[in-house]
Amino acid sequence: MATKRWIPLNKIEGVVAGGTAIIDLPTNVRYHGIALQYDTSTAGGATEVNMEAEATEIRCNLEQVTQRKASAAQTFDINRTKKVDPLVGDGTKPGFIPLLFSEPQRETQIEQEATAWGMQGVTDFQIEVDIAAGAASPQLKGFAYVDDVQEAPRGIVKWKRNTLTVGQTGETPFSLSTTGGDSYQGLHFFEQVAGDINSILLEWDGVKMNQLTEYQNAAMIDFLKAYKVVSGNVHIPLDGNHPADALRTIKEINGKRIPVQELIATLNMAASNNVTLIREMVGLPD
């Protein structure tokens, strides 16, 4: 049935400090989102600070290939840009780490659900959670928001994370991948210290897609209304159209499909600190 429902994720193992918890998920439903319930005996319980310190990396894998990789802190901040705040614990109640597959910032339900993770043809879906060695008696449960629509995972949103090495202040260009046919939904530049980035110039085959200071970019994000500004995460949304239309790496010229040759982000840095980039990519599973 297409009616959505919450189901518990019962196949969880390896929930120990210093280990990797593995959640095996059923592959006979379509996923709109997952809530990881986390608790800890660390003072204060599953506060945001404690969850960020203890859930050091979360990976979503299809057929043992990682489609998303981020820390709890990065997950919270990307979700915040879409106006979804974490639900934190307090020593009595647990905290929750939301993994969003249907995109809440899109304007209509049809557009939101276009990125749900169908499982047709998938035989293995796992989530891995690395737990810090200093975690005190960690506890992990999972719940998935699903329906029974049978479709292949065609246009899922993947998260690609890498470090941009910054050796100086001023302008440094970085070439972003345009291979594979995926489209760019958004770019998240995580600063080590808020204010490290003065401005970003984004060029798509010579077309200026973004040429704003950090403060101008924040103002434009607020103007779009679909997103929220998050300190320390310089976010460039590229899926602001209605209907949803992420920035493509294949363009059409005179009826011919031609690969985009270059996508360049030039960062004007106020400090020479490295930047962590997470690219939201729409496409087939890797």
Side-chain angles (χ1 to χ4, degrees), residues 15-16 36-41 54 94-95 131 136-141:
V15 185
V16 295
L36 299 179
Q37 177 182 314
Y38 187 79
D39 212 348
T40 176
S41 296
E54 296 183 9
I131 301 174
S137 303
Q139 301 175 46
L140 183 67
K141 296 180 180 179

Side-chain angles (χ1 to χ4, degrees), residues 12-84:
I12 305 177
E13 60 182 24
V15 185
V16 295
T20 297
I22 297 176
I23 307 173
D24 286 302
L25 294 92
T27 57
N28 61 343
V29 293
R30 181 175 68 161
Y31 290 87
H32 297 277
I34 290 170
L36 299 179
Q37 177 182 314
Y38 187 79
D39 212 348
T40 176
S41 296
T42 301
T47 63
E48 182 173 352
V49 169
N50 287 343
M51 286 193 286
E52 290 179 352
E54 296 183 9
T56 57
E57 186 167 282
I58 301 165
R59 296 178 294 277
C60 299
N61 305 326
L62 294 178
E63 310 296 13
Q64 300 184 19
V65 177
T66 298
Q67 311 297 326
R68 289 191 182 186
K69 179 168 63 176
S71 66
Q74 291 162 346
T75 300
F76 288 152
D77 280 351
I78 291 176
N79 289 346
R80 278 192 172 99
T81 68
K82 303 171 185 180
K83 301 183 178 180
V84 177

Side-chain angles (χ1 to χ4, degrees), residues 26-269:
T27 57
N28 61 343
V29 293
R30 181 175 68 161
Y31 290 87
H32 297 277
I34 290 170
L36 299 179
Q37 177 182 314
Y38 187 79
D39 212 348
T40 176
S41 296
T42 301
T47 63
E48 182 173 352
V49 169
N50 287 343
M51 286 193 286
E52 290 179 352
E54 296 183 9
T56 57
E57 186 167 282
I58 301 165
R59 296 178 294 277
C60 299
N61 305 326
L62 294 178
E63 310 296 13
Q64 300 184 19
V65 177
T66 298
Q67 311 297 326
R68 289 191 182 186
K69 179 168 63 176
S71 66
Q74 291 162 346
T75 300
F76 288 152
D77 280 351
I78 291 176
N79 289 346
R80 278 192 172 99
T81 68
K82 303 171 185 180
K83 301 183 178 180
V84 177
D85 292 324
L87 296 175
V88 301
D90 58 8
T92 300
K93 61 185 180 184
F96 293 86
I97 304 171
L99 308 179
L100 309 175
F101 298 146
S102 291
E103 294 292 315
Q105 79 283 358
R106 292 185 169 184
E107 291 191 28
T108 69
Q109 188 163 345
I110 291 175
E111 290 166 333
Q112 292 169 7
E113 294 184 7
T115 59
W117 287 30
M119 289 288 116
Q120 192 173 66
V122 175
T123 60
D124 185 69
F125 181 19
Q126 278 190 341
I127 293 174
E128 299 175 316
V129 182
D130 291 344
I131 301 174
S137 303
Q139 301 175 46
L140 183 67
K141 296 180 180 179
F143 301 88
Y145 195 44
V146 304
D147 60 31
D148 292 311
V149 173
Q150 297 299 302
E151 63 181 17
R154 288 187 292 268
I156 66 172
V157 179
K158 301 170 286 186
W159 291 4
K160 304 295 183 182
R161 187 179 69 179
N162 63 288
T163 299
L164 304 180
T165 302
V166 178
Q168 60 186 17
T169 58
E171 293 187 351
T172 302
F174 296 95
S175 180
L176 308 182
S177 175
T178 58
T179 61
D182 293 338
S183 299
Y184 279 78
Q185 175 171 283
L187 299 171
H188 298 268
F189 296 88
F190 287 91
E191 303 166 298
Q192 289 189 29
V193 179
D196 278 352
I197 300 173
N198 279 328
S199 63
I200 298 175
L201 168 62
L202 183 68
E203 297 174 283
W204 179 82
D205 267 0
V207 178
K208 291 181 173 63
M209 305 300 298
N210 186 93
Q211 192 176 14
L212 302 170
T213 67
E214 184 170 5
Y215 301 111
Q216 291 166 344
N217 191 64
M220 297 307 107
I221 287 175
D222 184 65
F223 175 75
L224 288 174
K225 301 301 182 187
Y227 299 96
K228 185 171 73 173
V229 177
V230 176
S231 178
N233 174 8
V234 182
H235 173 213
I236 299 179
L238 296 168
D239 190 8
N241 296 334
H242 175 58
D245 187 14
L247 182 66
R248 301 178 184 184
T249 54
I250 302 288
K251 59 185 179 181
E252 189 169 311
I253 299 178
N254 297 325
K256 296 182 179 180
R257 290 169 58 83
I258 299 174
V260 171
Q261 297 302 304
E262 61 181 14
L263 182 63
I264 298 175
T266 300
L267 276 57
N268 186 347
M269 300 296 299

